[in-house]
Amino acid sequence: MTTVDFAAWSCPVPLRDTPAVVMGHGGGGAMSAELVEQLFLPAFGASPDDLGDSAVVTAGGARLAFSTDSYVVKPMFFPGGSIGDLAVNGTVNDLAMSGATPLYLSTAFILQEGTDLAVVGRIAQAMGLAAAAAGVRLVTGDTKVVDSASGDGVFVTTAGIGLVAPGVEIGPRRARPGDVVLVSGDIGVHGIAVMSCRDGLSFGTSVLSDTAPLAGLVAAMLGSGGDVRVLRDPTRGGVAASLNEIARASGVGVSLAERDLPVPAAVRDACSLLGLDPLQVANEGNLIAIVAPGAADEVLATMRAHPLGAGARVIGTCVADHPGMVVARTALGGTRVISLPIGEQLPRIC
């Protein structure tokens, strides 16, 4: 009888009980959530209720949004952007998803020994231009250098603070049955743009990253007077991860209509080639909004009047059925579950 060595088998999805860090822990899906909720939160004495794109704290009578993020995207320069503008826009957007006006950023660089200083200069210039475009200031930072065997070019960390106006209450627990789910533009563009210039991959078409600062769009939406309950920027794990997190936090179900999902043809074709679900592919200049049903038309019109929301549309509703679960109605009239990604579909995408 042949003996099967199960330890020698490989699996595209890392095992959930792995004793060591694996790439799936950084994918923004179920393994990321388990790492945060089972390891970091208990160590920090924090609650899962505190999780969001940014924390809102009170200091000196003011409500401040505070966020931090690290960027390890590979390659560092990709169609439509670079690790520099990504590091600025990503943290600006995390602050904006709390309804804050972003104000100040810090930045830290980890540089690999041997990296061309011209490359570092391009990244720094991109960050400066992105900060100016977003209306924020880079006010402090740090630099560390590691030996050539311990790094991979340039890693960047940014942290930011922003001011939350009185009366603004946005959070993942505020979704209610009947609320309308909006998206500001095309889905899955950033992830495919980065993958398109990885070694050995070519899709025969040009896809540009959607990286952009969304604070202006959010300000316009809040200024419309409509009840905006939840905002998320669907980065790692894509729209699927963001909606699953909202559904779980609010205890509602989310029902999507597949025919209404704005997936560009180039993204759909690339996902078919790679075996990916566009709903699980990262975005960097796109937001999901959950709004009260009576405010949907007004908020949607406001979004479409803004350059970064011109392609906004309704993609679904929050429902009382299947709480904590996201489903999509297919073109054939069936229903499929949109699950939270488990591991890492696209490593080092941001």
Side-chain angles (χ1 to χ4, degrees):
M1 178 181 293
T2 302
T3 301
V4 179
D5 182 7
F6 290 101
W9 286 22
S10 62
C11 177
V13 178
L15 298 177
R16 302 287 284 275
D17 60 352
T18 174
V21 174
V22 296
M23 292 299 293
H25 285 123
M31 294 190 72
S32 293
E34 290 171 359
L35 181 68
V36 171
E37 293 173 7
Q38 298 177 18
L39 190 153
F40 290 118
L41 292 185
F44 298 162
S47 164
D49 294 342
D50 300 331
L51 296 179
D53 286 326
S54 58
V56 177
V57 299
T58 301
R63 295 172 67 219
L64 300 175
F66 182 31
S67 184
T68 188
D69 209 342
S70 295
Y71 299 86
V72 297
V73 63
K74 184 178 183 178
M76 294 181 288
F77 302 93
F78 47 84
S82 71
I83 192 173
D85 45 66
L86 194 64
V88 170
N89 292 338
T91 294
V92 164
N93 293 346
D94 285 344
L95 296 171
M97 296 307 109
S98 292
T101 300
L103 298 174
Y104 304 105
L105 301 185
S106 70
T107 183
F109 291 85
I110 297 178
L111 309 177
Q112 180 188 23
E113 178 188 23
T115 301
D116 194 326
L117 284 175
V119 170
V120 181
R122 285 180 62 191
I123 294 169
Q125 287 289 329
M127 293 183 72
L129 291 172
V136 298
R137 292 181 57 201
L138 291 158
V139 293
T140 188
D142 184 44
T143 303
K144 296 291 190 297
V145 177
V146 297
D147 62 84
S148 58
S150 301
D152 189 6
V154 178
F155 296 160
V156 182
T157 295
T158 50
I161 57 173
L163 187 63
V164 182
V168 173
E169 295 291 343
I170 293 173
R173 301 174 67 86
R174 294 194 66 227
R176 298 291 181 268
D179 286 351
V180 179
V181 183
L182 310 176
V183 67
S184 63
D186 289 341
I187 291 172
V189 175
H190 171 74
I192 296 304
V194 174
M195 291 300 293
S196 71
C197 52
R198 293 260 174 97
D199 290 344
L201 291 178
S202 176
F203 305 133
T205 186
S206 177
V207 178
L208 301 181
S209 170
D210 59 351
T211 177
L214 297 171
L217 174 60
V218 170
M221 294 167 64
L222 298 180
S224 71
D227 186 3
V228 179
R229 303 193 199 274
V230 185
L231 291 170
R232 294 300 290 265
D233 62 330
T235 54
R236 292 175 303 165
V239 170
S242 293
L243 289 179
N244 271 279
E245 290 164 1
I246 293 167
R248 185 174 67 169
S250 293
V252 301
V254 177
S255 178
L256 306 177
E258 276 197 342
R259 67 178 181 275
D260 295 330
L261 297 173
V263 180
V267 171
R268 183 180 296 108
D269 292 345
C271 286
S272 296
L273 176 67
L274 297 172
L276 303 175
D277 184 340
L279 289 176
Q280 296 183 351
V281 177
N283 312 265
E284 289 291 346
N286 197 355
L287 66 80
I288 294 169
I290 295 182
V291 303
D297 290 343
E298 185 175 11
V299 174
L300 183 60
T302 300
M303 295 172 72
R304 287 174 170 170
H306 191 281
L308 295 178
R313 64 174 67 186
V314 176
I315 61 171
T317 57
C318 296
V319 297
D321 299 333
H322 51 79
M325 184 180 296
V326 182
V327 302
R329 300 187 305 277
T330 69
L332 298 177
T335 300
R336 70 181 181 103
V337 175
I338 307 298
S339 59
L340 183 69
I342 294 177
E344 180 74 279
Q345 279 201 116
L346 303 174
R348 293 183 61 178
I349 213 72
C350 59

